[in-house]
Amino acid sequence: MMHTPASMVMGIVFAPLGLALVFTAAITPQWREGQARLSMAGSGFLLRVGAKGQGVGSKSRSVEALLLLRSDGLWESCMQVEHSELKQCWPVAGPYQRDPRVRLAQGLVLTSLFLSGIGIVLACIGVRCWTDLPLRGVAASGGLLVVSAGLLSLTALGVYTHNLKRLGMDPSQGMANHRSAQLSLHAAGSLYFGWLGSFLQLLGGSALLFSFKRPRCPTCPSRPEQTICPACRSCPEITTKTDMDVYEVSC
């Protein structure tokens, strides 16, 4: 069995883990969170939150305010009443959906996932643990795609984080701005998953890039011009050794 370079092992481990974390961040609606206190005027206030047209009503006479928790992702937004099971999620819409920075983040994340998937497939083909010699060029090309994917996802996360409190703010709609201003928005869990996944992609892809550099093979003592590789075993000193010994000094 051939000795797989440590850089390839590191790349094969970290690249899929980074892809899984970025994918988790992409599909979850916790890129940013905010909370707003809703005053309940009058004793006959009726709150309706439901899915598919099914309303859930509750009258309150003693409670003066409700704390609403709002979360937004790239493709989904949610609203929940604190300390309650009342929750509703819906596809992003309105000024937030039309915001060019949100659209840019969506495109970059989708491209990152695609490149990372292709890069991991190439890396797996290039490592080829079932043969004597790995396809170093193929593995390194996969690493290059994974690094590119990590940079794209980092760019998307950076753009979103930098403009987090301004996303979806339409200056032409004063009422919407007034309502949005009541939310104390901050970064949420999905962003942290994305940051961690992106760094793991960069780490795994960079490790695979070392596959471009072919290590030096030891030379045969009796033939200095002859290198010792599994594909060339003409050195008299190693002809009597086992295959395992040959592979341990192989390149």
Side-chain angles (χ1 to χ4, degrees):
M1 182 177 179
M2 70 161 288
H3 178 69
T4 304
S7 60
M8 287 187 176
V9 175
M10 183 182 299
I12 289 298
V13 172
F14 287 151
L17 182 58
L19 173 62
L21 289 174
V22 174
F23 179 75
T24 301
I27 63 176
T28 51
Q30 282 82 33
W31 282 57
R32 69 176 184 180
E33 291 180 345
Q35 60 183 20
R37 193 166 297 276
L38 179 65
S39 299
M40 300 173 61
S43 59
F45 179 81
L46 182 64
L47 175 65
R48 295 185 179 274
V49 179
K52 299 181 180 179
Q54 298 178 355
V56 179
S58 62
K59 291 186 178 180
S60 174
R61 295 183 179 180
S62 58
V63 180
E64 297 180 354
L66 287 177
L67 187 62
L68 299 180
L69 305 178
R70 169 72 179 267
S71 62
D72 293 311
L74 291 183
W75 285 277
E76 189 179 38
S77 297
C78 294
M79 182 78 75
Q80 182 178 7
V81 179
E82 189 182 35
H83 305 308
S84 172
E85 296 182 358
L86 298 177
K87 183 178 181 180
Q88 185 177 19
C89 297
W90 61 92
V92 293
Y96 179 80
Q97 180 192 26
R98 296 190 297 269
D99 195 299
R101 293 162 294 193
V102 175
R103 291 182 175 273
L104 176 62
Q106 291 174 340
L108 290 176
V109 169
L110 287 177
T111 306
S112 171
L113 292 174
F114 176 77
L115 291 180
S116 182
I118 297 299
I120 291 172
V121 172
L122 289 178
C124 292
I125 296 175
V127 171
R128 294 188 58 157
C129 294
W130 60 91
T131 61
D132 292 341
L133 295 176
L135 303 177
R136 295 183 177 275
V138 177
S141 299
L144 183 61
L145 290 180
V146 174
V147 169
S148 302
L151 292 175
L152 289 177
S153 56
L154 281 178
T155 303
L157 292 163
V159 170
Y160 192 98
T161 304
H162 180 71
N163 301 283
L164 186 143
K165 295 184 178 181
R166 297 189 295 270
L167 296 174
M169 303 298 181
D170 190 353
S172 63
Q173 297 181 0
M175 183 62 69
N177 286 337
H178 177 69
R179 292 177 180 176
S180 300
Q182 297 178 355
L183 294 174
S184 54
L185 297 171
H186 56 85
S190 297
L191 275 181
Y192 301 120
F193 277 111
W195 286 111
L196 179 59
S198 299
F199 284 119
L200 287 178
Q201 284 181 330
L202 289 178
L203 182 60
S206 299
L208 288 170
L209 282 177
F210 282 104
S211 302
F212 272 127
K213 184 179 180 180
R214 187 179 183 89
R216 293 182 178 179
C217 298
T219 58
C220 179
S222 60
R223 300 178 182 177
E225 74 283 355
Q226 179 66 55
T227 57
I228 305 174
C229 293
C232 181
R233 305 178 182 179
S234 58
C235 179
E237 285 82 353
I238 66 171
T239 53
T240 58
K241 292 186 178 181
T242 63
D243 289 344
M244 181 61 71
D245 292 333
V246 173
Y247 290 160
E248 288 178 350
V249 298
S250 68
C251 56

